[in-house]
Amino acid sequence: MDNYEKFISYVNDIVDKFKNLENLKEEPIKLISHRDADGICSAAIASAAFKREDLKFSISTVKQLTKKKLEELKTEDYKVYFFTDLGSGSIHFMKEILKDKTIFILDHHIIDKDILKENSDNIFVINPHLFDIDGSVEVSGSGVTYIFFKNLNEKNIDLAHLALIGALGDIQSNDCNGNDEDKFSYLNQRILEDAVSMKKIKVERGLRMFGAQTRAIHRLLEYSTDPFIPGITGSEENATHLLNELGIPVKNSDNKFRRLCDLSEEEIKKLTTAIILKRMGSEKNPDDVLGDIYTLVDESEDSVTRNAKEFATLLNACSKMGKPSLGIGVCLNDTVSKEKANLLLLDYKREIIKALNWFYSKRKTEMVQEGEGYVLINAEDNLRDTMIGTLTSMVTKSNLYPTGTIIMTVGHTLEGCLKASIRGIDTKKDLRKLVESISDKLPLKDAEFGGHGEAAGCILSLEQEKDFLSTAIQVLKEAK
Ligand SMILES: [Mn+2]
């Protein structure tokens, strides 16, 4: 048996354990999922599957599974808990806090294998890393959730498309990772085949731009944050100017604004070339504006949810704007949720542009410290806390700073904490270690760290703001 076969047969065993639970039909199940696009898809898959089996359940989503959160869960009256797209890092706490509960973890995050060596017969963990399958690229949390529930009931194959949207939300298609092969890896690829066989998804190659069916073309370019177009993203004027230069009319003969899907093949070619040229020199893969486009065939032509990546962005917007349950509704094809989520998406895009404009206006002030090899953005409470990471990654793509520059944004959260987010422009540094080294120097009290080598962050008490900022500058200077 290879690792994949071992993994699938292990999933079968755990599914059997689930099926054989006592009082399964009577006892409600508690589902806790990650509050991001992948987590929302996981929750949607699980809830559709539970409904199909006639099981009672309730859902909540969390940004982070803290010890405090587990202690709250302990007091709830459930016997069976599902954790989807999270949980692998909290097993040591679960062993202690939730020892009277039956727990299923369906996750793809890094896991400490040793933690499972000591027997814990109430915790069942499905995680590809346990079988040396790389969960960061090969399968998402919603993919693992899908594999579990498809094993429970074959009919759940009609949920495969949600697992792909989750994978796209976690940036698991290779064109996002900058690999040459513009395909999903093995497990995701198999899930894609399921979705295609169910006629839920169609795969085509094209210019991957957000809002091809819905946006006026100059707005589409202005609002294009992924792919980022240096000089164009964030500027309606420059976007319009570019189109004029290329001889692409912004309006139709009937004076209506044109959308990307209204352009001729010739015009799309011209535009694609121009975008690639603009991206040269600043982007690792200037031509990754081209890619496989995953179309959800059941969605209407002019809908954001027709494109799987846009669908994922819509879910992201729901979670970042604090409305994850709307996202679950969208996945389950609820019309009202879809309408509301679409409005929320516009707010979200506006919020991103607002954050970017705030940053531009604060350059050359003490809020944006530009040193050699680093930029420290101190937003205080000028940004929505969920925009701190988004702004940081926008700035790394902005073409403003040279390769190797480290960008850190610090701001206040709604809960009254300090949040820091760190990214690099093609830097070889381990950014997670870099953030942790700030703590080593101080130390930080009750700080929580997240992320990995390329994108990391931490949340800490606002009391330590001053210390954190001065030490962060020191660490950033030394990192050079
Ligand atoms: Mn995930």
Side-chain angles (χ1 to χ4, degrees):
M1 270 208 277
D2 67 13
N3 286 343
Y4 296 101
E5 287 162 336
K6 279 185 204 155
F7 177 60
I8 298 295
S9 109
Y10 173 78
V11 172
N12 269 323
D13 293 346
I14 305 292
V15 166
D16 283 338
K17 297 238 159 56
F18 173 66
K19 276 193 213 157
N20 294 328
L21 289 179
E22 275 175 48
N23 301 330
L24 192 56
K25 294 267 172 192
E26 289 77 40
E27 291 281 352
I29 295 164
K30 177 77 183 186
L31 173 77
I32 300 98
S33 199
H34 193 203
R35 192 177 297 171
D36 69 357
D38 186 24
I40 287 173
C41 289
S42 311
I45 291 169
S47 59
F50 285 149
K51 263 188 216 155
R52 186 166 261 154
E53 304 304 316
D54 237 346
L55 302 177
K56 301 185 194 80
F57 63 95
S58 80
I59 305 176
S60 44
T61 61
V62 293
K63 279 190 222 167
Q64 248 171 329
L65 194 58
T66 55
K67 196 175 172 194
K68 195 170 149 237
K69 183 74 210 168
L70 289 171
E71 264 148 12
E72 281 168 34
L73 288 171
K74 176 197 167 127
T75 63
E76 295 189 25
D77 208 17
Y78 301 93
K79 296 200 173 87
V80 179
Y81 287 71
F82 268 77
F83 292 92
T84 52
D85 193 32
L86 44 63
S88 295
S90 312
I91 295 171
H92 53 296
F93 287 138
M94 290 181 190
K95 279 186 171 178
E96 166 199 332
I97 300 168
L98 298 177
K99 53 178 177 293
D100 308 323
K101 316 279 191 184
T102 302
I103 293 167
F104 293 87
I105 297 174
L106 312 178
D107 191 18
H108 70 132
H109 291 95
I110 292 290
I111 186 164
D112 173 12
K113 288 184 192 176
D114 291 338
I115 197 93
L116 293 170
K117 279 193 183 135
E118 305 151 45
N119 55 328
S120 48
D121 42 16
N122 64 324
I123 303 182
F124 305 105
V125 186
I126 298 183
N127 186 319
H129 290 288
L130 297 174
F131 295 85
D132 295 320
I133 299 169
D134 185 354
S136 63
V137 292
E138 289 224 18
V139 68
S140 63
S142 51
V144 175
T145 306
Y146 168 73
I147 291 169
F148 179 89
F149 285 105
K150 193 190 155 197
N151 267 281
L152 178 72
N153 185 338
E154 274 182 9
K155 285 186 186 155
N156 290 325
I157 190 172
D158 65 354
L159 304 170
H161 60 291
L162 294 175
L164 281 181
I165 294 165
L168 291 169
D170 267 9
I171 322 189
Q172 290 195 328
S173 74
N174 283 337
D175 63 316
C176 310
N177 293 332
N179 293 346
D180 300 336
E181 255 308 290
D182 171 21
K183 287 278 177 277
F184 278 119
S185 299
Y186 182 68
L187 278 176
N188 277 326
Q189 188 62 33
R190 277 184 48 181
I191 297 171
L192 174 64
E193 282 159 20
D194 281 357
V196 170
S197 79
M198 292 304 288
K199 302 214 167 16
K200 290 271 183 185
I201 282 187
K202 187 172 72 179
V203 189
E204 293 157 318
R205 207 165 165 78
L207 187 60
R208 49 175 200 93
M209 280 265 152
F210 193 92
Q213 274 103 354
T214 48
R215 284 231 158 109
I217 176 88
H218 64 292
R219 301 294 271 184
L220 175 117
L221 296 174
E222 177 197 353
Y223 277 67
S224 178
T225 48
D226 176 32
F228 192 93
I229 316 170
I232 304 291
T233 302
S235 166
E236 184 181 0
E237 197 188 323
N238 291 355
T240 312
H241 184 71
L242 175 70
L243 291 165
N244 286 339
E245 251 178 18
L246 297 170
I248 299 175
V250 180
K251 287 181 177 178
N252 277 333
S253 48
D254 57 357
N255 216 25
K256 262 195 181 158
F257 282 116
R258 302 173 78 202
R259 301 163 301 172
L260 189 64
C261 58
D262 298 325
L263 266 52
S264 71
E265 215 168 294
E266 197 52 42
E267 286 173 320
I268 293 211
K269 256 190 215 154
K270 261 197 254 173
L271 182 62
T272 308
T273 311
I275 292 171
I276 293 173
L277 285 174
K278 290 261 179 224
R279 286 163 53 84
M280 277 193 177
S282 69
E283 299 286 320
K284 226 192 302 176
N285 302 289
D287 56 354
D288 84 358
V289 295
L290 290 169
D292 277 346
I293 314 252
Y294 305 99
T295 303
L296 287 135
V297 278
D298 293 338
E299 302 288 323
S300 67
E301 291 273 352
D302 58 350
S303 154
V304 171
T305 45
R306 190 164 166 89
N307 176 292
K309 270 192 192 158
E310 299 192 12
F311 199 130
T313 304
L314 183 75
L315 299 180
N316 235 332
C318 289
S319 77
K320 297 232 170 182
M321 303 296 278
K323 298 260 162 42
S325 54
L326 269 190
I328 299 175
V330 174
C331 291
L332 298 174
N333 209 12
D334 175 66
T335 320
V336 178
S337 300
K338 276 187 176 173
E339 278 166 19
K340 288 189 180 165
N342 270 312
L343 293 175
L344 206 63
L345 178 63
L346 294 181
D347 290 344
Y348 172 63
K349 286 266 160 180
R350 251 177 246 132
E351 200 83 38
I352 293 181
I353 299 299
K354 210 170 86 189
L356 210 51
N357 284 337
W358 174 85
F359 162 75
Y360 284 127
S361 73
K362 295 301 173 198
R363 285 188 76 192
K364 318 285 178 240
T365 75
E366 74 281 2
M367 300 190 106
V368 178
Q369 300 188 46
E370 300 174 327
E372 209 179 311
Y374 72 88
V375 179
L376 179 64
I377 305 166
N378 183 14
E380 294 180 342
D381 44 20
N382 292 290
L383 291 181
R384 189 187 260 274
D385 55 7
T386 49
M387 285 295 140
I388 291 170
T390 312
L391 175 66
T392 314
S393 71
M394 288 298 142
V395 174
T396 61
K397 294 177 193 167
S398 66
N399 206 10
L400 289 170
Y401 305 107
T403 302
T405 307
I406 298 171
I407 319 276
M408 180 187 267
T409 309
V410 182
H412 302 171
T413 71
L414 282 175
E415 294 88 12
C417 294
L418 191 72
K419 178 175 169 178
S421 164
I422 185 164
R423 309 275 151 96
I425 305 173
D426 250 334
T427 167
K428 308 253 152 19
K429 302 250 158 32
D430 185 327
L431 298 179
R432 166 109 186 205
K433 282 203 184 119
L434 200 78
V435 177
E436 286 173 348
S437 73
I438 298 174
S439 184
D440 296 343
K441 286 192 183 219
L442 276 169
L444 296 170
K445 286 171 269 170
D446 298 326
E448 288 188 34
F449 298 90
H452 41 87
E454 286 97 55
C458 75
I459 292 183
L460 59 139
S461 150
L462 204 49
E463 281 166 31
Q464 284 191 292
E465 183 175 25
K466 264 205 179 128
D467 291 344
F468 181 85
L469 286 167
S470 58
T471 312
I473 279 276
Q474 207 183 320
V475 166
L476 287 169
K477 279 183 179 158
E478 285 165 10
K480 191 160 77 76

